[in-house]
Amino acid sequence: MNEFHSYLIEETPKTPQIDLNHLTGEFIFSGKSIPENAAKIYEPVLNWVSQYILIARPTTNVRINFEYFNTSSSLWLAKILKVLVRINEPDYVIIIHLYLPEEEYDELKEFEDLKDAFFPIADIFQFAIPSIGVKLYGTDEEDAIIKEKIVFV
């Protein structure tokens, strides 16, 4: 059997940095995600996550800090999250960390705004085995975190 390793894709002008660490349970998606062929980038990630859930850490942090992403990237992220929530340990936790520019963060003040913004991923989490949390971060122009809140647990 092959030894399981962490997975790293370096950022390019059109593709994000993807850093998946199986030892710490830290998954980082950052930069721009506007690849011409999203499957080429995200299918290996999906396969890696399918293996990770068999040996998952008690806490998995998924950090999504995209400057911009296209529809195909969001569809692949949804597929990845659908696999991740199948970790077969009810005492485990998955925390989705979303980093937003301060203006977008401030627009999500009302419960209905939050519900509308997170409806697609809330549907994915409906049948999750581990506990799920979503944490929002408002960032300034230098990507420094200036506000944060937990919106879904």
Side-chain angles (χ1 to χ4, degrees), residues 21-67:
N21 188 315
H22 74 291
L23 296 175
T24 64
E26 290 287 325
F27 297 8
I28 299 169
F29 298 83
S30 65
K32 292 181 184 173
S33 186
I34 51 173
E36 293 178 25
N37 182 354
K40 183 177 178 183
I41 299 297
Y42 289 105
E43 190 167 13
V45 173
L46 182 65
N47 294 334
W48 187 94
V49 170
S50 296
Q51 294 301 306
Y52 170 80
I53 67 170
L54 303 174
I55 57 157
R57 304 297 304 157
T59 300
T60 300
N61 288 290
V62 180
R63 299 181 184 280
I64 302 171
N65 189 4
F66 284 144
E67 294 171 39

Side-chain angles (χ1 to χ4, degrees), residues 6-9 17-21 26-30 48:
S6 292
Y7 188 82
L8 176 65
I9 297 174
Q17 174 188 349
I18 301 174
D19 186 356
L20 311 174
N21 188 315
E26 290 287 325
F27 297 8
I28 299 169
F29 298 83
S30 65
W48 187 94

Side-chain angles (χ1 to χ4, degrees), residues 137-153:
Y137 300 90
T139 59
D140 64 14
E141 295 82 25
E142 286 83 40
D143 276 340
I145 297 169
I146 54 175
K147 299 176 181 178
E148 62 182 73
K149 63 181 154 189
I150 296 176
V151 295
F152 186 84
V153 178

Side-chain angles (χ1 to χ4, degrees), residues 33-105:
S33 186
I34 51 173
E36 293 178 25
N37 182 354
K40 183 177 178 183
I41 299 297
Y42 289 105
E43 190 167 13
V45 173
L46 182 65
N47 294 334
W48 187 94
V49 170
S50 296
Q51 294 301 306
Y52 170 80
I53 67 170
L54 303 174
I55 57 157
R57 304 297 304 157
T59 300
T60 300
N61 288 290
V62 180
R63 299 181 184 280
I64 302 171
N65 189 4
F66 284 144
E67 294 171 39
Y68 181 80
F69 60 94
N70 59 18
T71 303
S72 60
S73 295
S74 66
L75 293 172
W76 276 99
L77 276 175
K79 289 179 186 181
I80 291 165
L81 290 173
K82 280 182 184 180
V83 169
L84 192 58
V85 299
R86 292 192 347 233
I87 292 173
N88 198 17
E89 294 289 341
D91 294 332
Y92 282 25
V93 176
I94 299 170
I95 303 173
I96 312 297
H97 302 264
L98 297 174
Y99 299 83
L100 304 168
E102 182 181 16
E103 311 80 56
E104 290 178 36
Y105 177 94

